[in-house]
Amino acid sequence: MKKNYYLWVILFIFLSTYNFYDSTELKLNFFSIKYIEIKGTKNSSQKDIEKKLNNIKGKNLFFLNRKNFQNLLDDIDFVETFEIKKIYPNKVRVEVIELEPIGVYINDQGKRYLLLKNNRLIKNYDNSFTNLPEVNGEGAIEKFSNFYKKIENSKFNLNLVKKYNYYATRRWDILLNDNKLIKLPPENYNESLEKFAEIYEKSEFNKFKIFDFRIKNELIMR
């Protein structure tokens, strides 16, 4: 709070030192944005963001607000939100907060899309996401976000997953990297995943490839 107070005092003294009519251009130039620092980009395109934000350069830093950035960054892949910090007299720092890629969605035509945590799909992406699990099935994309959030909060290890398959019966199968298959019920599948997490690494269960939880209060292994 003290820093902000002193900053306003300095600005007031500076602006009041000059005659308004004689020094308007000087004041505007003094706070004109010349530098934009972008931080936090991992998967989003730094070049695309820089190109968009070039529209901000030359604007008055003193009157800049979040709305000036919102429309420019809304359509940038991976960007969920951002924070801005004014650095007087002529610099802005933009901290980008990205959405996490959680899978590769494959539609009925076999087209592949990178799936982000909020169900956003990216059509064109590079090959650095080859280790992500596949997501398949009609209606899967509408259901996956809620499904993922629930299993993310369980003891189940998401790094084990090779593929998620969704069925018209409103339930999921999970295929693991070691080709073990988990058949989940339509409801209360968190309990099934918790149970699987408890037994997965126990030696007596290594021989089983299918873990079927579809019948309530039962586990069928084969």
Side-chain angles (χ1 to χ4, degrees), residues 160-208:
L160 299 173
V161 180
K162 181 179 181 180
K163 185 183 295 186
Y164 299 94
N165 289 312
Y166 183 72
Y167 295 94
T169 51
R170 298 183 297 108
R171 64 167 211 87
W172 293 87
D173 278 358
I174 300 178
L175 180 66
L176 305 185
N177 291 319
D178 59 5
N179 290 320
K180 293 186 186 296
L181 183 65
I182 307 170
K183 292 180 173 289
L184 296 174
E187 299 176 351
N188 300 320
Y189 46 76
N190 293 66
E191 297 175 7
S192 302
L193 289 171
E194 295 282 356
K195 180 65 177 177
F196 179 81
E198 291 176 6
I199 67 175
Y200 174 64
E201 294 186 358
K202 294 182 178 181
S203 58
E204 58 265 38
F205 297 99
N206 287 343
K207 63 182 178 180
F208 298 106

Side-chain angles (χ1 to χ4, degrees), residues 100-105 113-116 132-135 144 148 164:
E100 178 187 353
I102 56 175
V104 176
Y105 172 64
Y113 300 85
L114 190 65
L115 177 60
L116 305 185
L132 290 174
E134 294 182 358
V135 181
F144 188 70
Y148 186 87
Y164 299 94

Side-chain angles (χ1 to χ4, degrees), residues 1-54:
M1 291 295 293
K2 288 184 177 180
K3 288 184 178 179
N4 290 336
Y5 172 78
Y6 290 134
L7 177 62
W8 282 104
V9 170
I10 292 170
L11 290 175
F12 175 79
I13 294 172
F14 176 83
L15 292 174
S16 60
T17 302
Y18 298 91
N19 181 277
F20 177 80
Y21 297 102
D22 296 335
S23 59
T24 301
E25 184 176 351
L26 175 61
K27 293 172 188 176
L28 292 175
N29 288 336
F30 185 76
F31 294 113
S32 177
I33 298 171
K34 294 181 180 179
Y35 309 104
I36 300 175
E37 180 184 2
I38 301 168
K39 301 186 68 176
T41 56
K42 181 180 178 182
N43 297 311
S44 50
S45 171
Q46 182 90 8
K47 289 183 179 179
D48 286 349
I49 294 175
E50 288 175 354
K51 185 177 179 180
K52 291 277 189 177
L53 294 185
N54 276 337

Side-chain angles (χ1 to χ4, degrees), residues 16 24 65 81-82 104 108 138 152 157-158 198 200 205:
S16 60
T24 301
N65 59 52
T81 185
F82 57 91
V104 176
D108 295 339
E138 184 177 354
E152 187 180 30
N157 185 357
L158 290 166
E198 291 176 6
Y200 174 64
F205 297 99

